[in-house]
Structures are given as C-alpha cells and as structure tokens.
Amino acid sequence: MSEQSSDKERFTPPTDPAVQAQVEKALEGVNIDSLYGFDNPGGEPAQAKKIRGMQSGAVLQIDVPKDEVLVELTGKMQGIARFSQFLTEPKLRDVVEVMVERFDPREGIYICTPKGAASQNTDWDSLEVGSVVEGVVNGMNKGGLEVKVGNLRAFMPSGQIDLEFHKDISVFLSQKVTVEVTQIDKADHKLVVSRRRILEKQRAENRGKMLLEIAEGQTRTGVVRSVADFGAFVDLGGLDGLIHISEMTYNRQLKPADIVKVGDQVEVKVIKFDKESGKVGLSLKQSMSDPWKDIETKYPVGTKVTARVVKIESFGAFIEVEDGVQGLLPLSEMSWQRIRNPNQVVQVGQTIPLGVIAVDAANRRMTFSIKAAAPDPWADAATTYPKHSVHEAKVARLAEFGAFVELAPNVDGLVHISEMSDKRIRTPADAAKVGDLVKVRVLDIDPANRRISLSMKNVDGTFTPPPEIVKKPEKKRKIPLRGGLDF
C-alpha cells in the first residue's frame, strides 16, 4: 500500500460526499503522519515549535479536582495549565492568555502558564528578566530576604518585598511567594527577584476594575494603609480612598490614631468619587449606626445620667454620655454657687451625676446640669443654718477680704477677715489655710441671694446672743375734742 493510500485509510473522511470530495482534494500529496507528528513519536511537532511564548487560546475543558485547564492553541495544538494559577477563574470557551513553556512528549501536549502566574521553569536556561516564578522564603539578612526558587537561590531586597515598608521582615519567613525576576547573572550565580512588582501589577489591574465598579453610596471593605492627623488612607483593593477626620467618628474629641491603625480592616461608605482624578472620599462613621438616632427618646429632658468630663473650656465643660454622644455643661449649671472657673467644680476624666435639661437631635446638641441632678441645697438653708448657730466647715478658698468656707456641698459662706480672729491679722492666710476644718458661727443668712455671713470668733459655745430690743408700743395721743371728749 502506498504512503498516500495509508494516510487516507488512517484519516476518517466526512460522510457528506460533497465535503468528502473537497477534503480528499485538499489532502492530495499531504503526509498525515507528518501533519500530526506521528512520524516523530515522542517528539514535538516540528511545525508547532513557533507557538512557544505568549499565546491566546480557547478553554476546551476544566477539571478542578485535577487542577487542569485544557486550552486550544494556534494550529489546533493543545496546551494544559493549572486551574489554581489563573488570576480570574476561567470558564468554557473563554479566550485566555497563556505562556507556552515547553512540550511534554509523553502526553503529547504543551505545558502552559496563565498570564501573570508563576512559571514552573526554575533553571538558569529557562529564566529571563521579567519571568514570574514561585519560591519559598528560607532566610533573611540585613538587606532583605533569601528565596529558594526551585533549586536556585535568589535574593529579594527589602524595598522589593511589599508595597509598604515592613520594619520586621521576619514575618515572611517560610512563606510561599510569587516573584518577578529582575536581575540574572549566570556567571556569578546571582538571581534577584521582586515581589513588589507583582503586587504593583495586580494593584494596577485591580485599580482599573475598581474605577469601573465604584460608585457613591456603596459600602466597601478596605485595609488602612496610613494614618495622619487629618484622617486615614484606606486601600479598597487597588484604589486608595481618604477618610477625613470629620468622617472618622461621631466622637469629636478622638484623633484618627485613636480610632484606626495601619493594617486594620474597616468597613467604609463611599461618599465622594471623582472619575477623572480617581480620588475617593470615604466615611467610617456613616457605615456605623448613628448614636444620635432616637436620642430624644433615650435621654428626654429631666433624665438623670452619670457621664464623663472630656474637655473643659472657660464657658463650661463637654460631657460624654455615651460613645459619640456629647453635650455641654454650662458654667452657670455647674453649681448653685456663683463660680468663675469650671475647674473649681469638675476635672477632665471625672465621672459626675447630671440632669438633662435640653436635647436637640437635629443639631446634635445636649445640655446638662449638675444642679438639676440634685435638689437645691439652699431650699432649707434658713432652717439648717439659723442665725448664731455654730457649725464645722472646710476652708474652700481664700480672698484678700476673707475666706470662703463650705458648710455643705454647694453651700458656701464668707468669713470676713475682721471675723477670722480675735487678734489683728494682715491676711486671711494668717488665720486659716485651704482645706482646714474650722468652726464658724452664722452671723446672717440670705437664702434668696444664697449668701451666708460667718464668723470664726466666739465659737466655743460660751457666746450669748445679744437680747433682742423690743420696742414699746407708742401711746396714742389723746386729741381733745370739742364738747370735752377725748379719743
């Protein structure tokens, strides 16, 4: 049998006579063994060697358990790639880009690597600058990491490890990494690789996708990349966005560093997006529940609360009743006594009982009062501190003209310098010091104006109040009337 007839016997013609005639005419003088590589068993078809390198091919079959994807290449050649190496999950009939690396004569198929995936070739002859390979970090030194790539030893400088600087690079030890070859010196067996370049390419691809997908109003998950006084930058997966300090939290007293740290995973809301510049404005607090919602129901006027002093100003103090909900304690509501400085009553960090006297949810304002948290201590002052009664009190503060002493919380009285001692003194400090416990006698009390005049004299119990002067009623003058009658 001739070579040509044997070729035609091996080839199964189509059943349609018209088509069969066209095929037979096309195959006249063609060696089928040479065409399909049967004349070179165990070898690569000579006419197909030119397909090595980056090629596009259609996905013919996917076998996930075997981690295999069958791809039809140029000239009806078939290649196989690992499913796990595809950056995007392939589907049947998808057109994918692969790197044709070598021919497997035993299987009669080309071994391929998906675009962007690590190559399986790790010998000096197969590597070139730009190759993407896999390796394992097995050592470190002052300048970077040592990576085992197949049987080769590679070096990865510290600046090429990640997109961000790592103070401690030991965290990468024993990790499997995908890297790009940046320098080859076969003579000195020097191989330099970069993981950062791989991450930059992935980031660029992700950025392009993100610019098409992102929109205002979306809620996204990202990772905090850096923190500054004005806010924090968050990586949304290829695209960075800024959380301004005003959008960090409902608590105005906290700084960005008090809320997030580099590496934190956060859920944010997209509040601004500029397609031309790619700038993204994010909000952390808008992705949370608003603590001011239903605040008027939760803290109606008249509610008694215990809250913390977070800041003091000349006009009063800011109070935090719960996380994100703050209000003002005015100076006038700090004491039943007249005071000039909030520090006389409260200190930052102090927890105090208060009464809610005003709530404005729309403007996020609350007003608190120390006075509203307890009954007026002056209500029964006239009965508790009658004239000439003696009491023990604590010296609260000194002035040039005398000393203010505390008879009870929010009930202060004044001991004039002339009433501080039986002896002549030049200053109140000659007779008492702040914090001293002293005995005082009530000279006069004016509850309406919240004033009590006191004396430190004659407080030993021997003082006898002066007798009250009783005025005798005036006699009515008799007015004589005509007729001899008097009235």
Side-chain angles (χ1 to χ4, degrees), residues 299-310 317-322 325-330 333-335 345-346 350-358 366-374:
Y299 300 105
V301 172
T303 303
K304 302 294 189 298
V305 297
T306 299
R308 184 170 62 93
V309 179
V310 294
F318 287 98
I319 306 295
E320 184 180 63
V321 67
E322 65 176 64
V325 179
Q326 294 185 3
L328 177 66
L329 171 61
E333 293 295 327
M334 286 187 172
S335 175
V345 180
V346 296
Q350 183 181 5
T351 300
I352 55 176
L354 299 160
V356 178
I357 60 174
M366 289 184 74
T367 307
F368 300 100
S369 171
I370 290 178
K371 297 193 297 185

Side-chain angles (χ1 to χ4, degrees), residues 78-307:
Q78 292 184 348
I80 193 166
R82 289 168 57 186
F83 178 82
S84 59
Q85 285 192 313
F86 281 87
L87 300 179
T88 303
E89 183 178 326
K91 295 179 176 58
L92 289 177
R93 293 182 293 279
D94 278 357
V95 176
V96 295
E97 287 189 82
V98 295
M99 174 67 72
V100 180
E101 297 183 349
R102 61 185 175 84
F103 181 76
D104 186 346
R106 290 178 299 178
E107 300 292 336
I109 199 166
Y110 283 90
I111 305 302
C112 306
T113 302
K115 181 181 179 182
S119 171
Q120 302 304 301
N121 291 334
T122 54
D123 55 72
W124 288 107
D125 293 331
S126 62
L127 291 179
E128 60 184 18
V129 173
S131 296
V132 179
V133 295
E134 289 181 346
V136 177
V137 179
N138 62 351
M140 61 177 287
N141 54 46
K142 188 176 181 180
L145 298 174
E146 296 175 7
V147 183
K148 186 178 181 182
V149 180
N151 294 321
L152 305 180
R153 180 183 176 187
F155 173 69
M156 182 160 56
S158 296
Q160 297 301 314
I161 295 175
D162 204 349
L163 295 172
E164 304 295 333
F165 172 75
H166 288 268
K167 188 174 182 180
D168 180 14
I169 61 175
S170 66
V171 295
F172 290 93
L173 288 174
S174 301
Q175 284 193 20
K176 188 177 181 180
V177 292
T178 300
V179 294
E180 180 180 320
V181 177
T182 59
Q183 187 177 345
I184 299 176
D185 189 338
K186 296 181 181 178
D188 293 335
H189 290 80
K190 184 178 181 181
L191 181 63
V192 182
V193 295
S194 169
R195 178 173 174 265
R196 176 169 183 158
R197 289 195 181 186
I198 300 295
L199 298 176
E200 287 175 340
K201 291 178 181 178
Q202 292 176 351
R203 183 176 177 82
E205 291 180 5
N206 292 337
R207 176 182 170 84
K209 294 178 182 178
M210 185 68 71
L211 288 173
L212 297 175
E213 297 173 359
I214 199 167
E216 292 181 6
Q218 292 178 344
T219 297
R220 295 253 176 189
T221 300
V223 178
V224 178
R225 292 190 63 189
S226 62
V227 181
D229 291 339
F230 55 83
F233 287 97
V234 175
D235 181 2
L236 299 174
L239 188 65
D240 280 0
L242 171 65
I243 309 176
H244 190 265
I245 185 173
S246 61
E247 292 295 331
M248 295 290 290
T249 177
Y250 290 101
N251 191 334
R252 301 177 182 177
Q253 305 304 318
L254 296 179
K255 298 178 181 178
D258 299 327
I259 305 164
V260 295
K261 294 179 176 57
V262 173
D264 284 355
Q265 184 171 303
V266 293
E267 191 174 80
V268 292
K269 185 176 181 180
V270 180
I271 56 175
K272 290 182 182 179
F273 175 56
D274 187 334
K275 290 185 177 180
E276 294 184 1
S277 65
K279 291 183 178 180
V280 182
L282 304 173
S283 174
L284 183 61
K285 72 180 185 181
Q286 289 188 35
S287 65
M288 307 173 183
S289 59
D290 187 353
W292 283 88
K293 185 179 180 181
D294 301 325
I295 200 73
E296 292 173 333
T297 303
K298 192 173 183 180
Y299 300 105
V301 172
T303 303
K304 302 294 189 298
V305 297
T306 299

